[in-house]
Amino acid sequence: MNDILIRNATAADADMAGRAAHTAWLKGIAPLVPAGARGRVSASDFVSFVRELPEQVLIAERGGEIAGIGACEHGDNHISDIWVAPSHEGRGLGAALVRALEERIAARRYERVTISVLSDNERALALYRHLGYRMTAEGLSYDRYLLVDLMTSHLEKRLRRSA
């Protein structure tokens, strides 16, 4: 795990970070959504996200290579994005990103952190449960990018108070 670096994103990271996130989306999410909706997401969407909101994005590097991103898109207590490139999965990057985002959220003085994930995304659900998240709700949620309703699990974790 000590070869993992979590750092703030810059606009210069957008191309590499966006491609890493898109490959993660293609592997982990695309198979779970209706075929007609898959074409609505491209690498350029992820590149634009990082370029336009670098202050809300963290970069995960492994061995000097951008391997994933995490974000709180609205600068609040909701983790909106965790994406780890398939070639870097299973090496602790997702957990490191979540923990780093939790630290940011705690610094904003929130007592709880939330995250939402497709209910069929068993790997992500297992990670979040392992990190102490509890299910608060499950149901159909409209995805504003894919323009479809998807079965989504909403999770929450109480943050530890600093002394």
Side-chain angles (χ1 to χ4, degrees):
M1 274 247 264
N2 39 353
D3 66 337
I4 297 172
L5 171 67
I6 304 297
R7 63 175 177 78
N8 294 322
T10 67
D13 294 318
D15 289 331
M16 295 286 290
R19 283 196 300 262
H22 185 244
T23 60
W25 187 89
L26 287 171
K27 180 184 180 217
I29 304 302
L32 303 178
V33 302
R38 290 181 200 143
R40 294 189 181 110
V41 175
S42 68
S44 64
D45 295 319
F46 289 96
V47 170
S48 294
F49 177 73
V50 176
R51 185 173 288 125
E52 294 167 14
L53 295 169
E55 67 281 357
Q56 304 304 341
V57 178
L58 292 178
I59 298 292
E61 288 185 0
R62 184 170 168 270
E65 179 183 346
I66 293 178
I69 68 170
C72 291
E73 181 176 359
H74 300 291
D76 56 10
N77 68 326
H78 183 74
I79 296 175
S80 60
D81 296 85
I82 296 291
W83 302 106
V84 175
S87 60
H88 294 277
E89 285 180 346
R91 297 190 171 108
L93 279 90
L97 282 165
V98 170
R99 287 182 182 118
L101 288 167
E102 289 173 352
E103 288 176 17
R104 277 188 165 190
I105 291 166
R108 292 182 193 124
R109 306 184 77 74
Y110 286 98
E111 293 184 7
R112 298 180 185 277
V113 60
T114 63
I115 194 163
S116 299
V117 62
L118 293 183
S119 296
D120 289 338
N121 190 343
E122 294 174 11
R123 186 175 178 130
L125 280 169
L127 170 65
Y128 304 140
R129 285 186 183 120
H130 174 74
L131 294 174
Y133 287 78
R134 295 175 156 227
M135 181 94 64
T136 58
E138 182 178 45
L140 287 177
S141 295
Y142 184 73
D143 187 289
R144 63 186 174 132
Y145 298 106
L146 298 174
L147 309 177
V148 296
D149 287 320
L150 299 169
M151 187 59 69
T152 304
S153 296
H154 305 278
L155 299 99
E156 181 178 276
K157 178 180 178 179
R158 185 168 179 82
L159 295 172
R160 292 183 189 172
R161 290 186 163 218
S162 301

